[in-house]
Amino acid sequence: MDRLQYVTVALSLVLALVLTQVDCSTGLKRVTKAQVRGFDWKNCGKPDDPAVLKTLTVSPDPISIPGNLAASASGSTSVEMAAPLSLNVTLEKEVAGFWVTVPCLEEIGSCHYKDGCDLLNQLIPPGQDCPEPLHTYGLPCHCPFKAGAYSLPQSDFYLPYMDLPYWLTNGNYRVQGVLGSQGKELGCLKIALSLHSD
């Protein structure tokens, strides 16, 4: 899976990192039922950025958590992406009509990750098969990612229960992820959504 598909799955994994994952045992709230509404995305990089997400579709709207999700994506990168791949995440929440940057707290929020390849290795240990449906479609899940075009046909995923920090439950959010290497920007993706939980 290309880095821009990892900008998809990293920014949907940034979303997964931002909204679900991460080892953080303090101040978490168990979400038994939630909905993600108004999911939207766009590239935010420079015209000559090598990594570009071309398509990303997610359904249904609203997305129920726990529940099923259908997603497809395609993109390309004109350069090989190898470690270290820096990932700068900016998370904003709408508060009283203003967008407020959420600070980096216990690796959740607006954080700088020195190497996205390390994050991938933590999520999927090296030597372990890539999870479905990546394995079925021959999409890689570890660095390096070769230059080329990548696509994930429409696939079904199950979104499980999740633990969220108490400050990250209900509201409108914007997430921006900028992928870089050796001081150069490789790609940028913005995601917007509304989260409503019990």
Side-chain angles (χ1 to χ4, degrees):
M1 147 185 246
D2 174 35
R3 198 37 205 206
L4 55 83
Q5 230 164 0
Y6 228 37
V7 169
T8 286
V9 175
L11 263 277
S12 291
L13 269 186
V14 159
L15 206 38
L17 269 172
V18 166
L19 293 181
T20 64
Q21 256 253 347
V22 180
D23 183 32
C24 190
S25 56
T26 60
L28 291 182
K29 175 183 176 183
R30 180 60 141 180
V31 175
T32 57
K33 187 177 180 183
Q35 286 191 335
V36 174
R37 301 177 187 159
F39 180 90
D40 193 25
W41 69 276
K42 68 178 180 178
N43 288 298
C44 49
K46 302 170 186 170
D48 60 347
D49 278 357
V52 179
L53 185 63
K54 296 181 178 178
T55 64
L56 173 60
T57 60
V58 176
S59 64
D61 186 4
I63 299 164
S64 294
I65 302 172
N68 295 312
L69 168 73
S72 64
S74 67
S76 64
T77 177
S78 60
V79 298
E80 180 178 83
M81 299 196 187
L85 290 175
S86 66
L87 180 60
N88 285 309
V89 177
T90 303
L91 174 64
E92 296 176 301
K93 181 176 182 177
E94 188 176 20
V95 179
F98 296 94
W99 288 99
V100 177
T101 300
V102 176
C104 186
L105 301 171
E106 298 185 21
E107 296 192 31
I108 300 177
S110 300
C111 302
H112 170 74
Y113 303 97
K114 290 183 180 178
D115 190 1
C117 296
D118 281 345
L119 293 177
L120 290 177
N121 290 339
Q122 291 172 30
L123 293 171
I124 307 162
Q128 180 177 314
D129 285 343
C130 292
E132 292 298 342
L134 304 184
H135 186 264
T136 294
Y137 295 112
L139 296 171
C141 56
H142 292 287
C143 297
F145 298 94
K146 295 179 180 178
Y150 295 82
S151 69
L152 176 69
Q154 183 165 345
S155 302
D156 295 325
F157 299 88
Y158 178 73
L159 300 175
Y161 294 105
M162 63 178 74
D163 292 327
L164 295 178
Y166 68 90
W167 46 265
L168 195 63
T169 48
N170 291 300
N172 297 324
Y173 294 92
R174 297 191 304 205
V175 183
Q176 176 177 292
V178 179
L179 191 67
S181 180
Q182 299 177 347
K184 293 183 180 179
E185 181 177 306
L186 300 177
C188 177
L189 186 69
K190 283 185 178 179
I191 293 175
L193 57 83
S194 293
L195 180 64
H196 303 270
S197 64
D198 291 346

